[in-house]
């Protein structure tokens, strides 16, 4: 059962009668609101990876798992207020972003940014060890450059290009006007191109 690190629990127990898993988000939300905890667990399973990635990329670092747990609990508690004509994923990620912001603000310092490109670790001897080393060096330079961006430009670049959110989804997740997403992404990319150039290609 999903629970927060603080000991918070979802405010109902799963129904005793087993049912087939919901096939889409809308059905999962409907059944969750009706008291089907197993249906909400489907949403948790479906979006845990992207929620964790969002928290880590936006600055939660080693505490990303705690942030995600708290975000899912909060999302459940406010599920009745979710607009059913909207997409669940960006709504959830906005909660994750807010929880991450609260965490980093409470630390009183800028959290260390943990960026994971999503490349699987090499488990065999590479055919081109020199090429692998060069690629790793380029990736490190790119991540260092992203870390050095001003916070809002970094958030925009992370959402658009690491999380692969659309401009509209980024605006919803970060709570910004669409124009701010565009301008901050543009400025962030311009600075990255100046710093790392061809690593962006």
């Amino acid at each position: 059962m999903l629970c927060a690190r603080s000991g918070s629990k979802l405010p109902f127990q799963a129904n005793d009668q087993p049912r087939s898993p919901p096939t889409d988000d809308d059905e999962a939300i409907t059944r969750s609101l009706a008291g089907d905890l197993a249906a909400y667990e489907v949403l948790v399973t479906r979006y845990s990876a992207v929620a964790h990635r969002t928290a880590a990329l936006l600055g939660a670092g080693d505490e990303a798992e705690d942030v995600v747990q708290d975000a899912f609990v909060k999302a459940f508690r406010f599920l009745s207020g979710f607009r059913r004509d909207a997409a669940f994923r960006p709504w959830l990620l906005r909660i994750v972003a807010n929880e991450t912001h609260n965490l980093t603000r409470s630390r009183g310092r800028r959290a260390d940014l943990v960026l994971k490109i999503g490349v699987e670790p090499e488990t065999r001897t590479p055919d081109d060890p020199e090429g692998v080393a060069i690629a790793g060096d380029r990736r490190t330079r790119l991540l260092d450059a992203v870390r050095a961006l001003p916070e809002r430009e970094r958030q925009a670049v992370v959402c658009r290009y690491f999380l692969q959110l659309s401009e509209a989804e980024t605006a919803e997740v970060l709570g910004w006007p669409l124009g701010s997403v565009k301008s901050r992404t543009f400025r962030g990319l311009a600075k990255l191109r100046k710093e790392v150039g061809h690593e962006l290609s």
Side-chain angles (χ1 to χ4, degrees):
M1 179 182 296
L2 176 70
C3 63
R5 57 187 168 90
S6 60
S8 300
K9 296 181 179 180
L10 300 179
F12 60 66
Q13 301 297 320
N15 291 334
D16 294 333
Q17 296 297 326
R19 299 175 62 183
S20 59
T23 57
D24 57 33
D25 289 356
D26 189 62
E27 182 186 357
I29 292 167
T30 298
R31 285 169 53 174
S32 297
L33 290 171
D36 185 351
L37 181 57
Y40 191 69
E41 291 288 354
V42 170
L43 292 172
V44 172
T45 300
R46 187 172 294 165
Y47 293 110
S48 282
V50 69
H52 189 281
R53 186 170 172 82
T54 300
L57 289 169
L58 294 181
D62 293 340
E63 297 179 82
E65 185 64 33
D66 291 336
V67 167
V68 170
Q69 287 278 333
D70 288 348
F72 273 115
V73 171
K74 183 169 287 188
F76 181 82
R77 288 177 172 165
F78 289 96
L79 195 59
S80 60
F82 170 67
R83 282 181 31 240
R84 300 301 292 274
D85 60 338
F88 180 77
R89 181 173 180 258
W91 181 78
L92 170 68
L93 295 186
R94 181 167 187 176
I95 296 174
V96 174
N98 287 339
E99 290 296 299
T100 303
H101 175 72
N102 291 339
L103 170 69
T104 56
R105 183 176 58 184
S106 69
R107 286 173 177 165
R109 60 180 176 82
R110 180 176 177 177
D112 182 36
L113 180 64
V114 180
L115 291 175
K116 297 181 180 179
I117 297 298
V119 178
E120 294 296 325
E122 187 67 51
T123 57
R124 60 181 178 81
T125 302
D127 296 330
D128 181 12
E130 182 179 0
V132 170
I134 292 173
D137 180 65
R138 288 175 176 172
R139 186 162 58 248
T140 298
R141 289 174 58 194
L142 173 60
L143 300 187
D144 287 344
V146 172
R147 291 187 185 100
L149 289 173
E151 182 178 8
R152 292 188 175 183
E153 293 172 12
R154 172 171 55 84
Q155 290 174 331
V157 170
V158 161
C159 285
R160 291 286 287 117
Y161 295 100
F162 287 88
L163 298 176
Q164 297 183 326
L165 301 179
S166 68
E167 289 180 339
E169 289 173 331
T170 299
E172 183 172 354
V173 167
L174 298 176
W176 298 346
L178 189 60
S180 296
V181 171
K182 293 180 178 180
S183 61
R184 289 165 183 166
T185 301
F186 178 82
R187 290 198 299 268
L189 289 177
K191 291 175 182 177
L192 288 177
R193 289 191 181 99
K194 183 177 180 180
E195 290 297 321
V196 297
H198 60 278
E199 271 83 352
L200 289 179
S201 59

